[in-house]
Amino acid sequence: MRYRTLGGTGIEVSVHCLGTMMFQDGCNSDHDDCVRIIHAALDQGINFVDTADMYGQGESEEIVGKALRGRRDDIVLATKVHFPMGEGRNRGGNSRRWILKAVEDSLRRLDTDWIDLYQVHFPDHSTDIEETLSVLSDLVRQGKVRAFGCSNYPAEEIVEAHHVSERRGLGRFRTAQPPYSILARGIEASLLPVVERHGMGALVWSPLAFGFLTGKHRKDRPVDLTTGRAALRPALFDPARAENAAKLDAVEQLVELATSIGCTLPELAVAFTVAHPGVTSAIIGPRTMEQLDGLLKGAALTLDDATLDRIDAIVPPGVNLYNPAASLPPRSLTDTALRRRPLAERAAA
């Protein structure tokens, strides 16, 4: 396993990061089995583990805490904050009030005194970014957090956050965590260049494109929209939709490419993401030991320029055949008041 420096922090992390979203009720709820999977990943050189408080409403963090007992000093541990945790107001978001509560809860569940990378899971436009950066900076000074980053932030909001950090003398986002895969290459256009320009690390999620690059979903095969991920987001899998037909067409070409270079489609997909100079680590999120073994089998796969050129011909650089973060589109698109002038001001004369 190779290691790269995480966004100028001096912390070295494995090029594969173990994601733990699958370790919860409804996915893999066998805590002992999850611990075995985590230990197997660590034994094969992964030193970077990513979780979030909202995965199973804390269950994933508890599993990770169990797995890291006796090994904590050697592991770079990342978690996230933002989504509601329980009923009631002010139990989510990016406010100082909530983050101070949430970090203590995460530390307790993870059974640790510090978090190496604390990430803001999504933007919160009801909270001033200065408020969020201020409390995160305080947590670093207190030693509860070593560094902090953002997840699912668009490029323009990352730039704004850096501007506020400089103007107010606050700590800055050291990392970004966007979705990235062969089928979702939109971040190549602006987000990854911004990450590189500001010396940030990038931890990319969904390298298997929500399952489309596992090889399970193929053209002209029936799709069961009542189970698994297809039941959660049927619009992403319904083959009758033109955008899904385009994904399946691309998958067929990618399967042929993978076969021609002697690897599996998942191996090709993960290797593609870590070949970009702006990417520090790709998050792999296995549910079973078999899935972990399959993903790590391709860790040494190197894609040459000819192979990357063939991928570019199938899905051009910067093109999104789908957007896995589309369930939370930016406010600039959802708030009509930000897209329409008052009626009396719309005419040119």
Side-chain angles (χ1 to χ4, degrees), residues 22 45 48 57 63 86 104 108 110 115 145 183 207 212 230 239:
M22 292 293 103
F48 196 12
Q57 289 289 290
I63 292 170
E104 296 295 342
R108 172 179 48 78
L110 291 164
I115 294 164
V145 169
L183 299 184
F212 268 89

Side-chain angles (χ1 to χ4, degrees), residues 159-197:
V159 172
E160 179 190 2
H162 279 295
H163 177 64
V164 171
S165 294
E166 292 176 2
R167 191 175 71 242
R168 297 299 189 189
L170 300 170
R172 63 188 180 91
F173 287 139
R174 289 291 188 174
T175 62
Q177 189 179 132
Y180 184 46
S181 72
I182 296 175
L183 299 184
R185 301 184 63 176
I187 67 170
E188 294 173 341
S190 59
L191 194 144
L192 283 178
V194 163
V195 164
E196 292 182 271
R197 189 174 304 124

Side-chain angles (χ1 to χ4, degrees), residues 20 23-24 31 35 38 51-69 72 77-86 91-92 98-115 118-119 121:
T20 63
F23 301 158
Q24 58 172 298
H31 288 206
V35 168
I38 294 172
T51 187
D53 57 2
M54 60 86 65
Y55 297 164
Q57 289 289 290
E59 184 179 10
S60 175
E61 287 187 327
E62 291 174 356
I63 292 170
V64 170
K66 294 176 185 177
L68 297 189
R69 286 171 190 159
R72 177 67 184 91
L77 177 58
T79 192
K80 310 180 198 75
V81 62
H82 169 79
F83 283 100
M85 294 290 290
R91 294 189 57 80
W98 174 242
I99 289 176
L100 287 176
K101 173 71 166 63
V103 73
E104 296 295 342
D105 291 342
S106 286
L107 288 168
R108 172 179 48 78
R109 287 189 293 262
L110 291 164
D111 192 22
T112 186
D113 294 326
W114 82 96
I115 294 164
Y118 199 42
Q119 300 160 101
H121 212 151

Side-chain angles (χ1 to χ4, degrees), residues 113-134:
D113 294 326
W114 82 96
I115 294 164
D116 294 291
L117 179 63
Y118 199 42
Q119 300 160 101
V120 183
H121 212 151
F122 269 91
D124 173 9
H125 298 111
S126 68
T127 303
D128 194 307
I129 186 61
E130 182 178 348
E131 176 87 357
T132 303
L133 294 170
S134 175

Side-chain angles (χ1 to χ4, degrees), residues 34-336:
C34 293
V35 168
R36 283 192 291 270
I37 294 170
I38 294 172
H39 286 173
L42 304 185
D43 291 342
Q44 295 190 59
I46 288 179
N47 77 334
F48 196 12
V49 178
D50 178 81
T51 187
D53 57 2
M54 60 86 65
Y55 297 164
Q57 289 289 290
E59 184 179 10
S60 175
E61 287 187 327
E62 291 174 356
I63 292 170
V64 170
K66 294 176 185 177
L68 297 189
R69 286 171 190 159
R71 308 181 72 160
R72 177 67 184 91
D73 288 347
D74 297 319
I75 305 305
V76 180
L77 177 58
T79 192
K80 310 180 198 75
V81 62
H82 169 79
F83 283 100
M85 294 290 290
E87 300 294 330
R89 295 179 180 274
N90 299 311
R91 294 189 57 80
N94 303 343
S95 68
R96 171 177 287 270
R97 186 183 193 275
W98 174 242
I99 289 176
L100 287 176
K101 173 71 166 63
V103 73
E104 296 295 342
D105 291 342
S106 286
L107 288 168
R108 172 179 48 78
R109 287 189 293 262
L110 291 164
D111 192 22
T112 186
D113 294 326
W114 82 96
I115 294 164
D116 294 291
L117 179 63
Y118 199 42
Q119 300 160 101
V120 183
H121 212 151
F122 269 91
D124 173 9
H125 298 111
S126 68
T127 303
D128 194 307
I129 186 61
E130 182 178 348
E131 176 87 357
T132 303
L133 294 170
S134 175
V135 65
L136 293 172
S137 299
D138 288 345
L139 292 175
V140 171
R141 283 190 288 268
Q142 293 167 15
K144 295 178 180 180
V145 169
R146 298 295 188 254
F148 56 86
C150 60
S151 176
N152 302 301
Y153 272 55
E156 65 273 15
E157 294 194 34
I158 292 175
V159 172
E160 179 190 2
H162 279 295
H163 177 64
V164 171
S165 294
E166 292 176 2
R167 191 175 71 242
R168 297 299 189 189
L170 300 170
R172 63 188 180 91
F173 287 139
R174 289 291 188 174
T175 62
Q177 189 179 132
Y180 184 46
S181 72
I182 296 175
L183 299 184
R185 301 184 63 176
I187 67 170
E188 294 173 341
S190 59
L191 194 144
L192 283 178
V194 163
V195 164
E196 292 182 271
R197 189 174 304 124
H198 288 280
M200 300 171 68
L203 328 175
V204 297
W205 59 270
S206 197
L208 298 184
F210 214 60
F212 268 89
L213 297 179
T214 63
K216 176 181 177 181
H217 304 285
R218 301 288 297 275
K219 191 173 182 179
D220 299 326
R221 289 185 185 176
V223 178
D224 184 355
L225 299 177
T226 64
T227 62
R229 289 182 171 181
L232 294 175
R233 298 176 70 176
L236 285 181
F237 293 89
D238 184 354
R241 297 171 67 100
E243 60 269 31
N244 294 332
K247 286 186 285 187
L248 293 171
D249 286 339
V251 166
E252 292 304 310
Q253 298 177 69
L254 292 168
V255 168
E256 182 180 341
L257 172 56
T259 301
S260 72
I261 65 172
C263 71
T264 67
L265 180 58
E267 290 169 4
L268 176 75
V270 177
F272 167 81
T273 62
V274 299
H276 194 289
V279 173
T280 308
S281 187
I283 298 172
I284 57 172
R287 181 176 53 82
T288 66
M289 189 73 77
E290 180 182 14
Q291 290 175 355
L292 174 68
D293 290 341
L295 290 167
L296 290 182
K297 181 181 176 183
L301 177 64
T302 298
L303 303 183
D304 60 21
D305 288 344
T307 301
L308 292 172
D309 288 344
R310 291 173 68 183
I311 291 174
D312 287 349
I314 297 169
V315 182
V319 168
N320 271 341
L321 289 186
Y322 89 117
N323 178 6
S327 58
L328 288 172
R331 224 173 121 223
S332 57
L333 299 181
T334 59
D335 188 342
T336 57

